[in-house]
Each structure stands twice: as structure tokens, then as C-alpha cells.
Amino acid sequence: MGNNDSLQRGRLLSIDAVRGFDMMFIMGLSGIIFAICSLFPGGGDSWLARQMSHVQWDGFRHHDTIFALFLFISGMTLPFSIAKKKSAGKSNAHITIDIVRRGLTLFLLGLVYGGLFDLHLSTLRLPSVLGRIGLAWMMAALLFLYTGKRTQWATAAGILVGYFVLLRCCIAPDAPAGAGHFSLEGNIVSYIDRLLIPNHLLKPGVYDPEGILSTFPAVVTALLGMFTGRYVKESSDSGNKKTLKMLCAAVAMAVIAVVWNHWFPVNKKLWTSTFVLAAGAWSVGIFALFYYLIDVRGWRKGVLFFQVVGMNSITIYMFQRIVNVTGISKFFLGGAAGLLPEAWGSLLIQLGYFAICWLFLYFLYKKNCFLKV
């Protein structure tokens, strides 16, 4: 019942909820979990605490899934958006303009996030999280709009295999002796960035995790979201069967990623093909869970808590960059935190940070104010 109602309205509540769940780790939930772990002896080095930070190079932790899940969910919304626009009589040309506008707007917001208004243009970081979302989503969306299913699947597979072959066969010309093809010093991906935009990288002259070449496998992440959204929207399968099939797809991608990892390490900074599959497995799996609970079973209790964040995700991402939320939290809670043991005080500040972000978004939600890019 809930699934059919959601599809008739052209929007799945679970999409906003899972996006909100994802963004909560960016707006302080990771810090809260780490602070809770730190209350216990050795907790700061526990498995759960380590999941709240990125791996140094090769490997896979929960914190590495946040970016990819957001891009996946951005892809999921496209089939619903295109259908809505076509039902309103918009042509492919008009939809294309909307796609390009959104992609370039996100790229511009990425530049703003990276310090555009500092006016240090000679060293302004050009790649960015929002820039990658914009460009990868835009390329995937145009492919989705103008090609058929077979072409889309073949392109996705071709990118993943081709990216592996490229990195496996080519090593950076400036790599030191003994450097591996997939190492920080030896990979061709970072070399291309050093060659083309050496002063505009996160680590100038070294590498950028959102660089030029690694944007192409990120296109596949967006495509996986679009494939999932199309399946959920168009399939006549029951909600239960859709959930089961998505979970099976998640398991299949996870198995392939684990096996392929022996030859092509899972690496977020290079956005390796194995990372695409590992993060894809997590993305499809976590969406399937939210979809089953919210849109199939009709569970609404507590969904607003996530929805508030999910419907203004870009807003909270930029808000934290512009506003000193930690300072606000300390202003109100610093005195109380100072009366507590250090670990408990840190947790209180983290909770304050999260609460300030959520309450700000709740205010916007109640005012029906949403940043739509």
C-alpha cells in the first residue's frame, strides 16, 4: 500500500530518508559516535570508532561510503524527475538544459566551498566533492536520457574494466623506483592531475581525491543509482520482491568487489572500480532497508527526523562550511562541558553541534524553504 502510494505521487519518502541518514554523518553523527566510543578505555581505537574516519589509502570503512551513497541517491532521483518533466510536456532539449545547469551549479558551489571568495585564484582548488557530484551526475544523466538500457550497462561495465586496465598498465612517469601502479606515488590518476592542474589540488603537486580521471568511475556510481531508481519506479514486482532483488544485487556487487580487490584494491581516493562496487553494494543495501521499512511496510514513525536533513542536504553541507557551528555549540554548552570529564564534555559539544544543524534544518523545513539545485 505505502509503496504504491509513494510511486503514484512520483516520490519515494525512503529516498529523502536515506539521504538524510547519510548526511547526518557529515553534520556531526560521526563525531558523536566517536565521542561515545572514547568514553570507554581504548574505545577511540575500537573498530566502530575507526569506521568514523577515512582509510589512509587502500581499504574500506563506513566513512568512505558517505560520498558515494550521496551520489548514488542523486542518481536514484533522476528517473522520477525525468518522468515528471516529460509528463509536464518538457522536451529532451529542455531536460538537457536542466541537467547541465544543475551539474554546473554544483561545480560552482564546489568552488565556493573550496574558497572562491578568498580570491586566491592561482591556488584555488578546482576539484571538489560537490564538483564531482555535479559532473559525474551530469554525465550519467545525459547518458541515461539519450541512450538505451544496453548502452548504459555496457558503458558502466566498460568504464569499470577500462579504468582497471588503465591503472594496471600505466604507471606515473615521475613515480619513484619501486612504486606500485596503485600507490600514492605511482598511480597515473594523480599524475594526470599533477600534469594538468598542479596548483589546484587538495594537496598541491601531489594528488586530489576528486581529481579529473577518477571522475569517470564516479559516473558509474551515479548510474547505479539511476538503474536502481528506474527499477523501483518501473518494475511491476511487489515491494517485497523489489527489496529482495536489491539485496541480492548488493550481495553480488560485494562479492565481486572482494574477489576483484586481490588485483585492484578498494580505494576511495582513486575511486577504483572495486570501490564503486563496494560502495554500490552498501548503497543498494541500505536503500533497500529504508525502502522496505518506509515505502513497503509503511513505517512513518521517526522518518521526519531523517527527512528534514535529506530534503536540504546541500544546504547543510554549505552551512557547515560558512558558519562556525562548533563555536555556537561551545557558546551555549561550553560552560557545562567544562564541568564534565573531558570525554563527556567532548560528547556534549558534539551533541550540541548536531542539534544546532538539525534544528536549523527543521526551521527551514517548517518554513517550506529548500535549496533546490
Side-chain angles (χ1 to χ4, degrees):
M1 178 71 73
N3 176 40
N4 292 333
D5 290 345
S6 296
L7 290 176
Q8 288 170 4
R9 291 194 301 270
R11 188 181 188 92
L12 289 175
L13 184 57
S14 53
I15 291 180
D16 288 328
V18 76
R19 187 194 290 114
F21 168 78
D22 189 45
M23 286 303 297
M24 283 180 178
F25 289 93
I26 295 294
M27 63 177 242
L29 183 56
S30 293
I32 291 172
I33 293 174
F34 182 85
I36 291 174
C37 290
S38 298
L39 296 177
F40 305 93
D45 296 321
S46 66
W47 176 86
L48 181 58
R50 291 197 303 272
Q51 297 306 308
M52 299 303 109
S53 63
H54 294 295
V55 295
Q56 290 298 312
W57 192 246
D58 294 339
F60 194 66
R61 294 177 184 167
H62 173 267
H63 215 60
D64 300 312
T65 69
I66 298 172
F67 185 0
L69 176 56
F70 188 90
L71 180 53
F72 174 91
I73 291 296
S74 296
M76 274 206 70
T77 63
L78 185 73
F80 296 91
S81 174
I82 288 178
K84 183 178 180 180
K85 289 175 180 178
K86 286 190 173 182
S87 67
K90 292 187 177 181
S91 65
N92 278 359
H94 189 107
I95 295 172
T96 297
I97 292 172
D98 285 345
I99 288 172
V100 173
R101 177 198 56 78
R102 183 176 189 267
L104 295 182
T105 300
L106 285 169
F107 182 80
L108 177 60
L109 287 175
L111 295 180
V112 172
Y113 190 95
L116 177 62
F117 294 131
D118 291 337
L119 301 181
H120 298 150
L121 302 185
S122 62
T123 56
L124 173 66
R125 183 190 177 200
L126 296 181
S128 66
V129 169
L130 290 179
R132 167 155 295 179
I133 291 171
L135 295 178
W137 177 88
M138 180 177 70
M139 288 188 281
L142 293 174
L143 182 69
F144 189 88
L145 179 64
Y146 285 104
T147 66
K149 293 180 181 180
R150 288 186 179 181
T151 300
Q152 294 160 18
W153 280 102
T155 301
I159 290 173
L160 295 184
V161 174
Y163 193 60
F164 165 64
V165 172
L166 176 65
L167 270 68
R168 187 76 181 180
C169 296
C170 300
I171 194 167
D174 60 356
H181 287 68
F182 307 126
S183 67
L184 172 60
E185 302 83 2
N187 75 85
I188 192 67
V189 175
S190 298
Y191 173 76
I192 296 296
D193 293 334
R194 292 195 297 270
L195 185 67
L196 298 180
I197 49 173
N199 299 321
H200 300 279
L201 306 176
L202 179 64
K203 295 190 176 181
V206 183
Y207 85 102
D208 196 297
E210 281 78 54
I212 298 169
L213 207 56
S214 57
T215 298
F216 289 96
V219 170
V220 182
T221 299
L223 281 173
L224 290 175
M226 293 171 193
F227 298 160
T228 306
R230 177 170 58 197
Y231 168 67
V232 172
K233 179 181 182 301
E234 298 179 359
S235 175
S236 59
D237 291 340
S238 67
N240 288 334
K241 194 169 184 179
K242 287 177 182 179
T243 302
L244 181 60
K245 285 188 176 181
M246 284 190 284
L247 291 176
C248 289
V251 171
M253 283 191 286
V255 170
I256 296 172
V258 169
V259 173
W260 201 359
N261 179 67
H262 293 286
W263 297 276
F264 198 17
V266 174
N267 186 305
K268 176 186 176 293
K269 292 181 173 65
L270 295 177
W271 213 279
T272 58
S273 305
T274 45
F275 172 76
V276 172
L277 294 172
W282 166 258
S283 299
V284 174
I286 197 68
F287 171 74
L289 175 62
F290 274 72
Y291 170 75
Y292 177 75
L293 293 175
I294 296 171
D295 290 306
V296 178
R297 302 296 297 175
W299 185 24
R300 296 292 185 266
K301 191 174 296 184
V303 173
L304 180 66
F305 184 66
F306 300 100
Q307 187 182 9
V308 163
V309 181
M311 294 183 71
N312 250 324
S313 51
I314 301 297
T315 300
I316 195 57
Y317 187 77
M318 296 299 296
F319 175 78
Q320 292 175 96
R321 176 67 168 135
I322 298 169
V323 177
N324 182 7
V325 183
T326 299
I328 298 174
S329 181
K330 289 181 177 178
F331 177 84
F332 287 104
L333 300 173
L339 300 176
L340 299 172
E342 183 178 355
W344 285 96
S346 176
L347 174 59
L348 181 60
I349 296 299
Q350 291 290 345
L351 289 169
Y353 185 105
F354 185 90
I356 290 163
C357 291
W358 192 88
L359 289 171
F360 169 67
L361 293 179
Y362 182 69
F363 173 80
L364 296 180
Y365 177 85
K366 295 297 287 185
K367 297 295 183 181
N368 200 32
C369 182
F370 306 103
L371 175 61
K372 296 183 178 180
V373 177

